[in-house]
Amino acid sequence: MKFSIVISTYNRLDLLRRAIDSALKQTIPCEVVVADDCSSDETEIYVKSLGDVVVYHRNQVNQGHAATVNAGVQKASGDWIKFLDDDDYLDVNCIEQMTKAIALCPDAVICSCIAAQVDQTEVELSRTPRFGPGLAFYIPQADIHYGMLMELVPFGTPAQVACRRDAFLQSGGWDSQLDTNCDDIDSWIRIAQFGHGIFINQCLAYRTIWTGAYNQKFSFTQRLNTNILMKEKIYNFINEKHLSYLPSLQEIKNYLRLHWTLVALKKRDLQSFSQMLDQSILNVSTWKFFWNVIYSRRSNMYNSRIDKCILLET
């Protein structure tokens, strides 16, 4: 099994240096690919100065984040792709731990881990929660999309995720029409149709939270609409074993509208709050569904409809 770490970048050389360094310091050998979206700073000069230890791709013109990730995967030669944005970085054991877990579940196509959220000075702010039993486990393919629909299966951001390269290519890659607004989640949805999902309860990645992040520029209404689109896509992949208790798509939409309306209110964005406010969020069944989702997130996976959570002995 060979890993390729694909780092997408655009005009953030200071951050990119850290991401590349974390990739080159992995405890087992792996390919490092830098996909550059036609940066105008000294990114090209720096990466080329590193020599053959890094594979470098540069877009001829600026094409956006999704297209740049796709180009990086095309250049990669590994069986598995570890995604990494230029403002994030990896623990030195990331690839080793993922390799061990994947070896125990050869039919897996996607793998995720815990990530620490850090500020611009690398001070840890929080961590994504533990999920499921033990240090590593897998969820059979038939249960993944139902888990994603009900928000029981959180694959997370690119810093957390790796996938099998053939599944990525077969799924069609990242969608440039979504570009940074759930383009990663959309990809996980389509990749997961081809095999099992692995989760590692170790912090193996670091995600920088900063005010310049492009995805923070989307309005709450835009986020709501994209979330609804993602749920519609997931709905089409639900395995028939879950159909007898599957909530309606309208129930899911009402829940999302309630969620984002409450987020807008919490953030004191009264304009977005008023735009999203409608009769659906006043429905008792919508609130019941909302609290069921919250409860399910906080309870063990054993108590959910995902009843085949398989422990991996790593």
Side-chain angles (χ1 to χ4, degrees):
M1 182 192 311
K2 177 183 177 182
F3 258 92
S4 295
I5 301 174
V6 174
I7 307 172
S8 53
T9 189
Y10 177 63
N11 280 346
R12 294 201 289 210
L13 178 55
D14 288 343
L15 292 166
L16 175 64
R17 288 191 180 97
R18 182 181 64 181
I20 293 175
D21 188 55
S22 76
L24 293 176
K25 287 182 176 178
Q26 291 300 300
T27 53
I28 63 173
C30 57
E31 180 180 59
V32 179
V33 178
V34 174
D36 178 9
D37 195 18
C38 198
S39 294
S40 58
D41 59 9
E42 295 184 353
T43 291
E44 182 175 10
I45 295 171
Y46 173 73
V47 177
K48 286 184 174 180
S49 75
L50 298 175
D52 294 339
V53 296
V54 175
V55 176
Y56 179 65
H57 167 81
R58 178 180 171 87
N59 293 340
Q60 296 274 327
V61 296
N62 188 265
Q63 296 181 33
H65 183 249
T68 304
V69 170
N70 291 340
V73 174
Q74 288 286 348
K75 294 289 286 188
S77 62
D79 308 300
W80 276 75
I81 303 297
K82 178 69 195 76
F83 301 96
L84 192 63
D85 289 334
D86 55 11
D87 55 344
D88 301 329
Y89 56 103
L90 303 176
D91 184 87
V92 294
N93 296 303
C94 179
I95 301 303
E96 181 176 358
Q97 294 303 315
M98 286 190 165
T99 299
K100 288 179 179 179
I102 293 164
L104 296 172
C105 184
D107 291 330
V109 295
I110 188 167
C111 178
S112 186
C113 66
I114 291 175
Q117 324 283 349
V118 299
D119 67 16
Q120 296 177 63
T121 63
E122 300 185 14
V123 173
E124 184 172 326
L125 304 173
S126 62
R127 290 192 178 190
T128 56
R130 286 180 59 88
F131 175 54
L135 288 179
F137 66 94
Y138 81 89
I139 298 175
Q141 192 280 326
D143 292 329
I144 292 176
H145 289 103
Y146 176 78
M148 295 182 78
L149 182 76
M150 301 303 293
E151 301 183 3
L152 300 170
V153 178
F155 285 115
T157 63
Q160 296 169 253
V161 174
C163 78
R164 214 166 68 193
R165 184 174 184 271
D166 60 351
F168 178 92
L169 296 175
Q170 196 172 351
S171 72
W174 286 25
D175 186 348
S176 290
Q177 292 185 338
L178 295 171
D179 216 26
T180 75
N181 188 13
C182 290
D183 51 4
D184 51 353
I185 303 300
D186 173 67
S187 182
W188 314 155
I189 293 167
R190 288 179 283 108
I191 288 168
Q193 67 184 296
F194 299 113
H196 306 323
I198 293 176
F199 292 84
I200 301 175
N201 279 320
Q202 298 179 61
C203 183
L204 301 175
Y206 296 85
R207 180 170 177 248
T208 305
I209 305 299
W210 64 297
T211 55
Y214 185 74
N215 58 9
Q216 295 182 17
K217 299 177 182 178
F218 293 107
S219 70
F220 290 119
T221 302
Q222 286 175 299
R223 296 182 193 185
L224 167 63
N225 291 336
T226 305
N227 270 202
I228 289 174
L229 176 61
M230 292 302 104
K231 297 296 187 183
E232 289 174 341
K233 291 188 175 190
I234 293 169
Y235 217 82
N236 293 325
F237 288 114
I238 301 294
N239 187 276
E240 61 182 10
K241 65 178 279 188
H242 297 289
L243 296 182
S244 64
Y245 44 80
L246 189 67
S248 71
L249 193 54
Q250 188 58 53
E251 288 179 290
I252 298 291
K253 291 179 180 180
N254 290 345
Y255 154 73
L256 290 174
R257 184 171 294 278
L258 173 58
H259 168 78
W260 284 107
T261 300
L262 292 176
V263 171
L265 181 62
K266 182 178 179 180
K267 297 293 185 180
R268 299 182 182 179
D269 185 341
L270 297 183
Q271 181 177 357
S272 294
F273 173 77
S274 61
Q275 288 174 346
M276 293 187 291
L277 190 65
D278 69 11
Q279 290 295 320
S280 65
I281 71 168
L282 301 177
N283 193 308
V284 173
S285 62
T286 300
W287 278 92
K288 182 179 178 181
F289 190 92
F290 176 84
W291 287 115
N292 282 340
V293 171
I294 299 299
Y295 172 77
S296 296
R297 285 180 183 171
R298 295 177 180 178
S299 64
N300 291 325
M301 277 191 62
Y302 304 120
N303 297 326
S304 75
R305 296 287 189 176
I306 304 172
D307 54 11
K308 292 185 179 178
C309 179
I310 313 299
L311 186 66
L312 295 173
E313 296 295 338
T314 57

